[in-house]
Amino acid sequence: MSSKFNIVRAGIYGVVLLWTSICLAIAAHFQSLLFINDLTRFVPFAIFVCSVSILVLFILLGCSVLRTGNPISARIELGCLGLLGTLWLALGAYLASSESENANVECFSSAGETTLVDVTGFSMDTYRAQYRVLEAFSLFNVILIWEFLLFLLIMAVIQDVWLIPVTSYSWFGLNPKAPELPIPVVSRSRSRGRACETEDQTDGDDNDIDEVTLQRQTEEEMGRRDVFTFTVPKTGLRITNPS
C-alpha cells in the first residue's frame, strides 16, 4: 500500500505533466505557424523545456514502480527537481518580460509573400490568448516544482535522508522496513537480581553455619582427648671464655 507521501508526490508530478503537455502543444502549434524571428525565440526554448520536463518526470515516476526498488536516491531527485525548477523559472521569466505577448500577428501564404491571408482558427487574438496560457502554466509549474523541492529538501535535511529513495522512506512516522527492537523487560532483570541476592545470602548463611559447626566439633574433639601443655623456660647461653 502506497504511503500518503507517495500519493501526493505522484499527484504533483501528474499535474506538472498535464500542464507541461498543454505548454508543449501550444509551443508546437506556434512552431508550425509562426516564422522564427526575434519575437518568436521563445518557441524553441519552450519546446526544449517541455521535452526535458516530460522525460525527467517519466523517469522519476517510472522508477518508483519498479519491483526491484527505486534506484534514484533523494539527492538525485532533488537535483532533477532543481533542474526542472530552474528551466521553468527561466521560461516563465522570459515569457513575462518578452514583447511577444502584445505582438501583432500577420499571416502570409509564404515567407516571400506580402499579401495577407486568413488562417482558419488562428488570429491575433488567438495567438495572444494561447501565449497567456503558455505563460500562466509555466509560472504554475515554477510554483509547484519549487514548493515541492523546498519541502523535500527541508525534510531530507531534518531526517538526514540523502542516499535512500524518497518513495521507500516513511517521512511522517517510523520506517516500516526498519527492524523493531524488543521492549526491555525490567521486571525480569529485577527478579534475577533478587534471586542472585538471595543466593548470596544463602551462601553466606551456609558459610556461617559451617564455621560454627566446625568450631564446635573441634572443641568436642579436644575435650575427648588429653591435651597437655608444656611451658619451656627460655634460657640463654653465655660464653665467658671463648678460648
Side-chain angles (χ1 to χ4, degrees):
M1 182 178 179
S2 301
S3 63
K4 294 181 179 179
F5 174 82
N6 293 337
I7 295 175
V8 173
R9 171 179 174 272
I12 293 175
Y13 289 171
V15 173
V16 174
L17 275 174
L18 177 61
W19 291 346
T20 303
S21 301
I22 295 174
C23 293
L24 180 60
I26 294 174
H29 182 60
F30 286 165
Q31 181 70 21
S32 62
L33 294 177
L34 300 177
F35 180 75
I36 300 300
N37 54 25
D38 293 338
L39 294 177
T40 57
R41 297 292 182 187
F42 68 91
V43 176
F45 184 49
I47 294 176
F48 171 75
V49 173
C50 294
S51 301
V52 173
S53 300
I54 292 176
L55 177 62
V56 172
L57 291 176
F58 267 118
I59 291 175
L60 293 178
L61 291 175
C63 292
S64 302
V65 296
L66 292 178
R67 295 182 179 180
T68 57
N70 190 354
I72 300 178
S73 60
R75 61 181 181 181
I76 296 178
E77 185 160 346
L78 287 170
C80 293
L81 292 176
L83 174 63
L84 296 183
T86 303
L87 290 176
W88 282 106
L89 180 61
L91 178 60
Y94 184 82
L95 293 174
S97 60
S98 177
E99 298 178 356
S100 303
E101 182 178 1
N102 298 321
N104 296 324
V105 178
E106 297 176 346
C107 300
F108 302 94
S109 58
S110 62
E113 295 291 335
T114 58
T115 303
L116 297 177
V117 297
D118 294 331
V119 178
T120 303
F122 190 79
S123 62
M124 183 173 63
D125 294 336
T126 304
Y127 162 78
R128 291 181 178 179
Q130 292 180 353
Y131 185 94
R132 292 189 181 94
V133 172
L134 179 61
E135 179 184 354
F137 283 174
S138 299
L139 296 177
F140 288 163
N141 280 345
V142 171
I143 296 173
L144 200 58
I145 292 175
W146 276 104
E147 284 185 351
F148 185 70
L149 171 62
L150 293 177
F151 168 77
L152 188 60
L153 179 62
I154 293 174
M155 295 295 293
V157 171
I158 293 176
Q159 304 193 22
D160 195 15
V161 179
W162 302 103
L163 302 179
I164 303 176
V166 297
T167 56
S168 61
Y169 186 79
S170 180
W171 296 95
F172 303 104
L174 295 176
N175 191 356
K177 296 185 178 180
E180 295 183 358
L181 297 176
I183 301 175
V185 180
V186 181
S187 59
R188 292 184 180 178
S189 299
R190 292 179 178 177
S191 300
R192 293 178 180 176
R194 292 176 181 175
C196 294
E197 292 178 358
T198 305
E199 293 178 357
D200 294 337
Q201 294 177 359
T202 304
D203 295 339
D205 295 338
D206 293 340
N207 294 331
D208 295 340
I209 294 174
D210 292 340
E211 292 177 359
V212 173
T213 304
L214 182 61
Q215 181 69 22
R216 185 179 301 172
Q217 291 176 355
T218 304
E219 293 177 354
E220 291 177 356
E221 184 69 20
M222 293 178 65
R224 289 195 298 266
R225 297 181 180 181
D226 294 333
V227 180
F228 298 95
T229 303
F230 294 94
T231 302
V232 179
K234 296 182 178 179
T235 58
L237 298 179
R238 295 182 180 181
I239 300 175
T240 59
N241 189 3
S243 62

PDB file of all heavy atoms in Angstrom, residues 6 9-11 13-14 17 56-66 72:
ATOM      1  N   ASN A   6       3.835   9.264  -1.046  1.00  0.00           N
ATOM      2  CA  ASN A   6       3.967   8.797  -2.424  1.00  0.00           C
ATOM      3  C   ASN A   6       2.761   9.192  -3.263  1.00  0.00           C
ATOM      4  O   ASN A   6       2.891   9.500  -4.453  1.00  0.00           O
ATOM      5  CB  ASN A   6       4.152   7.281  -2.445  1.00  0.00           C
ATOM      6  CG  ASN A   6       5.469   6.849  -1.831  1.00  0.00           C
ATOM      7  OD1 ASN A   6       6.412   7.626  -1.776  1.00  0.00           O
ATOM      8  ND2 ASN A   6       5.530   5.619  -1.358  1.00  0.00           N
ATOM      9  N   ARG A   9       3.113  12.933  -3.937  1.00  0.00           N
ATOM     10  CA  ARG A   9       4.210  13.113  -4.900  1.00  0.00           C
ATOM     11  C   ARG A   9       3.754  12.762  -6.320  1.00  0.00           C
ATOM     12  O   ARG A   9       4.018  13.507  -7.270  1.00  0.00           O
ATOM     13  CB  ARG A   9       5.385  12.237  -4.477  1.00  0.00           C
ATOM     14  CG  ARG A   9       6.519  12.146  -5.489  1.00  0.00           C
ATOM     15  CD  ARG A   9       7.623  11.259  -4.939  1.00  0.00           C
ATOM     16  NE  ARG A   9       8.675  11.017  -5.914  1.00  0.00           N
ATOM     17  CZ  ARG A   9       8.652  10.019  -6.787  1.00  0.00           C
ATOM     18  NH1 ARG A   9       7.630   9.153  -6.783  1.00  0.00           N
ATOM     19  NH2 ARG A   9       9.639   9.858  -7.654  1.00  0.00           N
ATOM     20  N   ALA A  10       3.083  11.629  -6.463  1.00  0.00           N
ATOM     21  CA  ALA A  10       2.599  11.236  -7.791  1.00  0.00           C
ATOM     22  C   ALA A  10       1.556  12.229  -8.311  1.00  0.00           C
ATOM     23  O   ALA A  10       1.523  12.534  -9.515  1.00  0.00           O
ATOM     24  CB  ALA A  10       2.001   9.831  -7.722  1.00  0.00           C
ATOM     25  N   GLY A  11       0.720  12.769  -7.417  1.00  0.00           N
ATOM     26  CA  GLY A  11      -0.269  13.764  -7.846  1.00  0.00           C
ATOM     27  C   GLY A  11       0.375  15.050  -8.338  1.00  0.00           C
ATOM     28  O   GLY A  11      -0.044  15.629  -9.348  1.00  0.00           O
ATOM     29  N   TYR A  13       3.477  15.411  -9.526  1.00  0.00           N
ATOM     30  CA  TYR A  13       4.132  15.147 -10.807  1.00  0.00           C
ATOM     31  C   TYR A  13       3.121  14.988 -11.932  1.00  0.00           C
ATOM     32  O   TYR A  13       3.376  15.376 -13.077  1.00  0.00           O
ATOM     33  CB  TYR A  13       5.000  13.895 -10.698  1.00  0.00           C
ATOM     34  CG  TYR A  13       6.237  14.067  -9.858  1.00  0.00           C
ATOM     35  CD1 TYR A  13       7.038  12.981  -9.514  1.00  0.00           C
ATOM     36  CD2 TYR A  13       6.624  15.323  -9.395  1.00  0.00           C
ATOM     37  CE1 TYR A  13       8.189  13.142  -8.753  1.00  0.00           C
ATOM     38  CE2 TYR A  13       7.759  15.488  -8.632  1.00  0.00           C
ATOM     39  CZ  TYR A  13       8.531  14.395  -8.304  1.00  0.00           C
ATOM     40  OH  TYR A  13       9.668  14.568  -7.543  1.00  0.00           O
ATOM     41  N   GLY A  14       1.965  14.409 -11.621  1.00  0.00           N
ATOM     42  CA  GLY A  14       0.928  14.277 -12.641  1.00  0.00           C
ATOM     43  C   GLY A  14       0.378  15.621 -13.099  1.00  0.00           C
ATOM     44  O   GLY A  14       0.159  15.838 -14.302  1.00  0.00           O
ATOM     45  N   LEU A  17       2.963  17.256 -15.254  1.00  0.00           N
ATOM     46  CA  LEU A  17       2.955  16.635 -16.579  1.00  0.00           C
ATOM     47  C   LEU A  17       1.785  17.128 -17.421  1.00  0.00           C
ATOM     48  O   LEU A  17       1.928  17.363 -18.631  1.00  0.00           O
ATOM     49  CB  LEU A  17       2.888  15.108 -16.436  1.00  0.00           C
ATOM     50  CG  LEU A  17       4.206  14.362 -16.234  1.00  0.00           C
ATOM     51  CD1 LEU A  17       3.947  12.886 -15.974  1.00  0.00           C
ATOM     52  CD2 LEU A  17       5.106  14.537 -17.453  1.00  0.00           C
ATOM     53  N   VAL A  56      12.178  13.756 -17.714  1.00  0.00           N
ATOM     54  CA  VAL A  56      12.619  13.601 -16.326  1.00  0.00           C
ATOM     55  C   VAL A  56      11.490  13.089 -15.443  1.00  0.00           C
ATOM     56  O   VAL A  56      11.679  12.179 -14.612  1.00  0.00           O
ATOM     57  CB  VAL A  56      13.174  14.934 -15.798  1.00  0.00           C
ATOM     58  CG1 VAL A  56      13.453  14.850 -14.295  1.00  0.00           C
ATOM     59  CG2 VAL A  56      14.443  15.321 -16.539  1.00  0.00           C
ATOM     60  N   LEU A  57      10.287  13.625 -15.606  1.00  0.00           N
ATOM     61  CA  LEU A  57       9.166  13.208 -14.772  1.00  0.00           C
ATOM     62  C   LEU A  57       8.758  11.766 -15.039  1.00  0.00           C
ATOM     63  O   LEU A  57       8.404  11.025 -14.115  1.00  0.00           O
ATOM     64  CB  LEU A  57       7.986  14.155 -14.983  1.00  0.00           C
ATOM     65  CG  LEU A  57       8.172  15.576 -14.438  1.00  0.00           C
ATOM     66  CD1 LEU A  57       6.981  16.444 -14.788  1.00  0.00           C
ATOM     67  CD2 LEU A  57       8.389  15.564 -12.934  1.00  0.00           C
ATOM     68  N   PHE A  58       8.816  11.353 -16.285  1.00  0.00           N
ATOM     69  CA  PHE A  58       8.507   9.961 -16.599  1.00  0.00           C
ATOM     70  C   PHE A  58       9.546   9.020 -15.989  1.00  0.00           C
ATOM     71  O   PHE A  58       9.207   7.920 -15.532  1.00  0.00           O
ATOM     72  CB  PHE A  58       8.419   9.759 -18.112  1.00  0.00           C
ATOM     73  CG  PHE A  58       7.026   9.913 -18.651  1.00  0.00           C
ATOM     74  CD1 PHE A  58       6.729  10.907 -19.564  1.00  0.00           C
ATOM     75  CD2 PHE A  58       6.005   9.059 -18.254  1.00  0.00           C
ATOM     76  CE1 PHE A  58       5.449  11.053 -20.057  1.00  0.00           C
ATOM     77  CE2 PHE A  58       4.715   9.197 -18.744  1.00  0.00           C
ATOM     78  CZ  PHE A  58       4.428  10.196 -19.647  1.00  0.00           C
ATOM     79  N   ILE A  59      10.787   9.427 -15.967  1.00  0.00           N
ATOM     80  CA  ILE A  59      11.826   8.605 -15.344  1.00  0.00           C
ATOM     81  C   ILE A  59      11.601   8.511 -13.837  1.00  0.00           C
ATOM     82  O   ILE A  59      11.694   7.425 -13.242  1.00  0.00           O
ATOM     83  CB  ILE A  59      13.224   9.177 -15.656  1.00  0.00           C
ATOM     84  CG1 ILE A  59      13.546   9.003 -17.148  1.00  0.00           C
ATOM     85  CG2 ILE A  59      14.287   8.487 -14.814  1.00  0.00           C
ATOM     86  CD1 ILE A  59      14.853   9.640 -17.564  1.00  0.00           C
ATOM     87  N   LEU A  60      11.296   9.643 -13.183  1.00  0.00           N
ATOM     88  CA  LEU A  60      11.065   9.634 -11.740  1.00  0.00           C
ATOM     89  C   LEU A  60       9.858   8.785 -11.368  1.00  0.00           C
ATOM     90  O   LEU A  60       9.895   8.010 -10.397  1.00  0.00           O
ATOM     91  CB  LEU A  60      10.880  11.065 -11.235  1.00  0.00           C
ATOM     92  CG  LEU A  60      12.107  11.992 -11.308  1.00  0.00           C
ATOM     93  CD1 LEU A  60      11.752  13.381 -10.824  1.00  0.00           C
ATOM     94  CD2 LEU A  60      13.264  11.427 -10.503  1.00  0.00           C
ATOM     95  N   LEU A  61       8.785   8.910 -12.127  1.00  0.00           N
ATOM     96  CA  LEU A  61       7.588   8.121 -11.837  1.00  0.00           C
ATOM     97  C   LEU A  61       7.772   6.656 -12.218  1.00  0.00           C
ATOM     98  O   LEU A  61       7.270   5.765 -11.527  1.00  0.00           O
ATOM     99  CB  LEU A  61       6.386   8.708 -12.583  1.00  0.00           C
ATOM    100  CG  LEU A  61       5.892  10.076 -12.091  1.00  0.00           C
ATOM    101  CD1 LEU A  61       4.772  10.593 -12.982  1.00  0.00           C
ATOM    102  CD2 LEU A  61       5.410   9.986 -10.646  1.00  0.00           C
ATOM    103  N   GLY A  62       8.484   6.399 -13.314  1.00  0.00           N
ATOM    104  CA  GLY A  62       8.687   5.020 -13.738  1.00  0.00           C
ATOM    105  C   GLY A  62       9.561   4.232 -12.786  1.00  0.00           C
ATOM    106  O   GLY A  62       9.293   3.055 -12.498  1.00  0.00           O
ATOM    107  N   CYS A  63      10.598   4.868 -12.271  1.00  0.00           N
ATOM    108  CA  CYS A  63      11.478   4.175 -11.323  1.00  0.00           C
ATOM    109  C   CYS A  63      10.794   3.926  -9.984  1.00  0.00           C
ATOM    110  O   CYS A  63      11.228   3.064  -9.217  1.00  0.00           O
ATOM    111  CB  CYS A  63      12.756   4.980 -11.105  1.00  0.00           C
ATOM    112  SG  CYS A  63      13.834   5.063 -12.559  1.00  0.00           S
ATOM    113  N   SER A  64       9.741   4.667  -9.681  1.00  0.00           N
ATOM    114  CA  SER A  64       9.045   4.490  -8.406  1.00  0.00           C
ATOM    115  C   SER A  64       8.241   3.199  -8.351  1.00  0.00           C
ATOM    116  O   SER A  64       7.913   2.721  -7.254  1.00  0.00           O
ATOM    117  CB  SER A  64       8.111   5.681  -8.143  1.00  0.00           C
ATOM    118  OG  SER A  64       8.844   6.892  -8.145  1.00  0.00           O
ATOM    119  N   VAL A  65       7.889   2.643  -9.501  1.00  0.00           N
ATOM    120  CA  VAL A  65       7.044   1.442  -9.537  1.00  0.00           C
ATOM    121  C   VAL A  65       7.839   0.195  -9.905  1.00  0.00           C
ATOM    122  O   VAL A  65       7.243  -0.855 -10.174  1.00  0.00           O
ATOM    123  CB  VAL A  65       5.886   1.641 -10.533  1.00  0.00           C
ATOM    124  CG1 VAL A  65       4.981   2.766 -10.077  1.00  0.00           C
ATOM    125  CG2 VAL A  65       6.400   1.923 -11.940  1.00  0.00           C
ATOM    126  N   LEU A  66       9.157   0.279  -9.944  1.00  0.00           N
ATOM    127  CA  LEU A  66       9.962  -0.892 -10.264  1.00  0.00           C
ATOM    128  C   LEU A  66       9.896  -1.904  -9.124  1.00  0.00           C
ATOM    129  O   LEU A  66       9.935  -1.549  -7.951  1.00  0.00           O
ATOM    130  CB  LEU A  66      11.418  -0.482 -10.508  1.00  0.00           C
ATOM    131  CG  LEU A  66      11.696   0.356 -11.767  1.00  0.00           C
ATOM    132  CD1 LEU A  66      13.177   0.712 -11.835  1.00  0.00           C
ATOM    133  CD2 LEU A  66      11.278  -0.389 -13.024  1.00  0.00           C
ATOM    134  N   ILE A  72      16.758   5.659  -7.759  1.00  0.00           N
ATOM    135  CA  ILE A  72      17.022   7.099  -7.676  1.00  0.00           C
ATOM    136  C   ILE A  72      16.962   7.514  -6.208  1.00  0.00           C
ATOM    137  O   ILE A  72      15.920   7.394  -5.561  1.00  0.00           O
ATOM    138  CB  ILE A  72      16.012   7.893  -8.515  1.00  0.00           C
ATOM    139  CG1 ILE A  72      16.111   7.476  -9.981  1.00  0.00           C
ATOM    140  CG2 ILE A  72      16.259   9.387  -8.378  1.00  0.00           C
ATOM    141  CD1 ILE A  72      15.110   8.164 -10.882  1.00  0.00           C
TER     142      ILE A  72
END
